[in-house]
Amino acid sequence: MTDLERAACYGIQLMDLTTLSEDDTPEKVQALCRQAISDAGKTAAVCIYPAFIQSAKAQLKALNAEDILVATVTNFPHGNDNVDSAVAETKAAVEAGADEVDVVFPYRAFLAGNEEVGAQLVRGCKDACGDKVALKVILETGEIKSPELIKKASLIAINAGADFIKTSTGKVPVNATLEAAEQMLNAIKDTGETCGFKAAGGVKNAQDVADYLALTQSILSSEWITPAHFRFGASSLLGNLIATLNNQQPSVQSTGY
């Protein structure tokens, strides 16, 4: 197996297979759930709008694939600074059965100098999630831009209780970049390596996957790279990874890169 094929195998098991389009329907979400199961392995999760949580849960149960997690989004994609609204959306998502919630950090308020509202929002949403539902905090790094500010936002989110920090919504011109990932991974290292990382938006192929895995390995370790700590958020990536495997059916039982 080539290095790119190996990266493709890991990319599949680390993926949050995503549809967050305005024209999403229950049928589209059910099709996404079916796509999450391939001869090359299962994705870690599907990520969909809150309205489709029950559709996704029912489809995964019918497919005997309840080990695939259901993630959803809140405060999305705008990243407003209304803490009560973000917390209410997160509570509703948890009550609807989400296994994970990806909430958008109030990055505009942060850029305007208000660092406290981000911490308040993350704390409130983590309280709503409790211990059983993972909270991923979307920083929108392409809008924050500054490496120093990306690291500062990462530290705010981690210290406020984020289970993962995530690069992007996929709804802005610049999404995941290796430069932003480096700052985020260093923040994770500096805070004890317990928070996870998710690259979302712009991760298109096996080479992209390999690049992110290599960067993470250089800052943290190969053992750290598991679905419990590392994810890719993507829509088109799965098909490209399967194509890279050239019709192989590799085992993806290993839990480390």
Side-chain angles (χ1 to χ4, degrees), residues 7 24 43 57-58 85 97 99 131 139 160 204 209 238:
D24 283 345
T43 67
K57 285 277 186 177
S85 177
D99 299 303
D131 295 331
L139 300 180
K204 298 295 187 184
V209 168
L238 178 61

Side-chain angles (χ1 to χ4, degrees), residues 126 129-130 133-137 157 161-165 194-197 228-229:
K126 183 54 190 171
C129 287
V133 175
L135 181 70
K136 305 195 201 87
V137 178
D163 296 301
F164 278 73
I165 48 175
T194 57
C195 183
F197 168 78
H229 282 132

Side-chain angles (χ1 to χ4, degrees), residues 15 20 30 103 106 125 127 170 178 196 210 214 216 233:
M15 189 183 305
L20 294 168
Q30 289 160 10
V103 65
C125 290
D127 286 345
L178 290 168
T216 304

Side-chain angles (χ1 to χ4, degrees), residues 4 12 18 70 74-75 88-89 92 102 111 149 164 184 190 222 256:
L4 281 185
I12 290 169
T18 301
V70 174
T74 59
N75 207 40
E89 287 182 28
D102 294 23
L111 288 171
L149 290 179
F164 278 73
M184 297 167 70
D190 292 348
S222 58

